[in-house]
Amino acid sequence: VLTLKLSSLIVHIMLIVFVLRVRHPVAQFIRGAAPAKATRSGWQTVRAFAADIWAPLTVVFIAALWLVWALSVANGFERVIHFIAVTAAVLIVARVIAILVFGALDAGFNRLDPLLEDKPDASSSRYRALVRLALTVVLAVATVVALLMAWGAPVNEWFAAGTFGRRFASACWTIAIALLLAVSAWEFAGYAIQRRIDAWTAAGDTLRVGRLRTLLPILRTALLVVIGLVVMFTVLSELGVNTAPLLAS
């Protein structure tokens, strides 16, 4: 039996080596002809994603087949096939959702940027990378949770009422809303001030414009301090810190 298992292990290792050696040609075949980035469709993006993951999934599948056979796991082959199929399905769905979400995000920013060409202070370019990073983190966490649920992990119990997971998720949600409101308040205040400056400039009231521009750094600093304090107290409160003494101070 030991000789049989060792021989089977050698065969499976050879298969894994073969997959690793041909991963690039097969990936190129799955990916197909490389279109221009601007004309890449959603289906072509999914094919590119499949080309990137086919080799790791195949290696895991081959290794898992030998493990369930060598360890004589009950219904092992069915479990391996189910595991690989569910994992691939979740990853593909997550990739499709990411394509749609990031496509909508880029389209929204591309439509917003021309409207702000004459207002460099209100440019949205500085938020594009930040929003993409936030969405990437959210989609990654959602994908991990979906994979755990598909694998049979008791995810619902981790986030039940009164658990640490529930409190942590609530804290993250509250902090995210606080940051979003802070950024919105900052941008709205800047937009309102700029509109006032434009209106006074169009009316020829240069004296008021000069006074407002002189006070503008002070106003921005004061607003930044207020917004920063609100966000800081919100974060500390969600982290379990008693903010009453700080508020009193």
Side-chain angles (χ1 to χ4, degrees):
V1 177
L2 180 60
T3 303
L4 180 61
K5 290 184 178 181
L6 288 177
S7 301
S8 177
L9 176 61
I10 293 174
V11 172
H12 282 76
I13 291 176
M14 293 175 63
L15 289 174
I16 292 174
V17 172
F18 175 76
V19 169
L20 295 178
R21 289 179 65 88
V22 302
R23 66 184 185 277
H24 295 301
V26 175
Q28 184 61 36
F29 174 77
I30 297 174
R31 189 177 287 108
K37 187 176 181 180
T39 60
R40 178 180 291 183
S41 64
W43 171 244
Q44 289 166 335
T45 305
V46 172
R47 289 183 62 179
F49 177 70
D52 293 334
I53 69 170
W54 87 269
L57 285 180
T58 305
V59 169
V60 171
F61 179 71
I62 295 173
L65 285 179
W66 183 85
L67 284 175
V68 298
W69 174 77
L71 299 178
S72 301
V73 179
N75 298 324
F77 295 107
E78 292 82 357
R79 292 182 180 181
V80 169
I81 294 175
H82 178 266
F83 175 83
I84 297 295
V86 167
T87 302
V90 171
L91 291 178
I92 291 174
V93 170
R95 183 60 178 175
V96 172
I97 293 175
I99 293 171
L100 296 177
V101 170
F102 288 128
L105 176 67
D106 291 336
F109 274 107
N110 291 336
R111 291 183 179 181
L112 182 62
D113 287 338
L115 302 177
L116 303 176
E117 288 180 348
D118 57 339
K119 300 178 178 61
D121 291 341
S123 175
S124 63
S125 60
R126 61 182 181 272
Y127 292 117
R128 186 190 291 257
L130 183 61
V131 174
R132 287 185 68 91
L133 176 61
L135 288 176
T136 301
V137 172
V138 171
L139 290 175
V141 172
T143 302
V144 171
V145 172
L147 284 173
L148 292 175
M149 293 180 65
W151 295 340
V155 178
N156 293 332
E157 297 179 2
W158 299 348
F159 295 96
T163 60
F164 172 78
R166 183 66 169 269
R167 294 194 298 269
F168 180 75
S170 177
C172 291
W173 180 251
T174 303
I175 292 172
I177 293 178
L179 292 174
L180 179 62
L181 292 177
V183 173
S184 301
W186 175 261
E187 289 297 327
F188 178 78
Y191 176 74
I193 293 174
Q194 188 62 43
R195 283 198 60 182
R196 177 57 58 186
I197 291 176
D198 293 341
W200 285 347
T201 301
D205 196 348
T206 57
L207 183 60
R208 284 187 174 182
V209 172
R211 290 174 179 173
L212 183 56
R213 289 189 182 278
T214 302
L215 294 174
L216 190 56
I218 300 175
L219 294 175
R220 287 184 178 274
T221 302
L223 180 61
L224 182 62
V225 170
V226 171
I227 293 176
L229 287 175
V230 172
V231 173
M232 183 187 70
F233 283 128
T234 302
V235 172
L236 292 176
S237 177
E238 290 298 324
L239 293 177
V241 178
N242 184 13
T243 59
L246 296 176
L247 289 172
S249 300

